[in-house]
Amino acid sequence: MLWSDPKNQPPKFMRDMQAKLRRAGVLLALAMVVAMFVVSAR
């Protein structure tokens, strides 16, 4: 690969979308763990 080649990065809106999806995934996983604790505590 040449130093003059463009960077292999997706556009900014795609990177922002990936970050939001990653955060949503982490939040969903945490919510599932909390829900399991609540269900098992009953």
Side-chain angles (χ1 to χ4, degrees):
M1 191 154 95
L2 297 174
W3 64 271
S4 60
D5 284 348
K7 297 270 188 245
N8 189 14
Q9 273 191 336
K12 179 161 175 22
F13 74 92
M14 281 282 253
R15 283 179 276 154
D16 291 345
M17 185 72 69
Q18 287 172 346
K20 282 180 188 171
L21 284 173
R22 196 172 299 121
R23 269 186 244 123
V26 169
L27 199 64
L28 190 62
L30 285 174
M32 291 289 280
V33 169
V34 169
M36 285 190 185
F37 275 125
V38 169
V39 167
S40 65
R42 287 186 171 201

